[in-house]
Amino acid sequence: MIVEADDIKLFHQQIKGAKRLTQDTYVAPRLKSKRKQQYKELVQQQDNLFYFSDQYEPLLQEDQKVRYLREGEDSHLLKQLRRGDFAPELFLDLHGLTREQAKTELAALLHACEKENIHCASIMTGYGTFALKQQIPRWLVQHPKVRALHQAPKEWGGDAAFLILFETVEK
């Protein structure tokens, strides 16, 4: 685009007497992608530590199938979970992971449930040494958005998995 001399002259006439503004706002430099990723991981680790305490011991009945119902929820939800009335929309397989890796993956699953508005998810722990199988419910009951959890029915993993109901936002 070519600017005519008359247009330039007209522009200068219009801005005659205008005062030049000084730039007084600070624009923070952008974080490099590697630093940004490290920051996100640090925030996620802090979230995990906030929600998932290893010292917390909920009153879960160990002799029966693991189940939990948040206070104020309908007791019929546990029966529906046990029967398999809810089909999980997300699956998390924790086979072969350490406790810390499992904690991070569990936090990511709960974040995904919240972000994607997912109501039911399945967490597969496997049999193994039972370390994760015992710890996962203890972590889950600490999260404020977990409504209920129950050992999964056979079609969703049986004794080696849990089904969780997550609080969703009505749209």
Side-chain angles (χ1 to χ4, degrees), residues 99-149:
R99 286 170 67 108
E100 289 306 312
Q101 291 170 332
K103 191 185 283 191
T104 303
E105 290 298 319
L106 188 60
L109 172 79
L110 295 174
H111 178 72
C113 286
E114 185 172 11
K115 185 178 175 185
E116 300 295 325
N117 209 24
I118 290 175
H119 188 64
C120 184
S122 175
I123 301 166
M124 294 166 274
T125 60
Y127 295 103
T129 62
F130 293 100
L132 287 180
K133 185 173 174 54
Q134 291 173 347
Q135 191 60 43
I136 296 296
R138 292 179 179 139
W139 287 333
L140 286 171
V141 300
Q142 297 176 55
H143 198 281
K145 299 258 183 170
V146 174
R147 297 174 61 198
L149 74 91

Side-chain angles (χ1 to χ4, degrees), residues 59-71:
L59 293 173
L60 295 173
Q61 297 164 345
E62 301 286 329
D63 57 334
Q64 300 175 6
K65 290 188 182 270
V66 177
R67 63 180 184 262
Y68 161 77
L69 184 66
R70 184 172 67 182
E71 190 174 316

Side-chain angles (χ1 to χ4, degrees), residues 81-96:
L81 274 175
R82 180 178 46 83
R83 288 190 315 216
D85 290 350
F86 296 102
E89 301 170 70
L90 275 181
F91 294 87
L92 176 62
D93 188 354
L94 299 175
H95 288 90

Side-chain angles (χ1 to χ4, degrees), residues 26-42:
Y26 174 74
V27 179
R30 298 185 123 204
L31 291 175
K32 294 181 181 170
S33 62
K34 185 177 180 182
R35 288 183 61 203
K36 199 182 275 188
Q37 181 64 28
Q38 289 172 341
Y39 176 74
K40 284 182 182 179
E41 289 173 5
L42 180 64

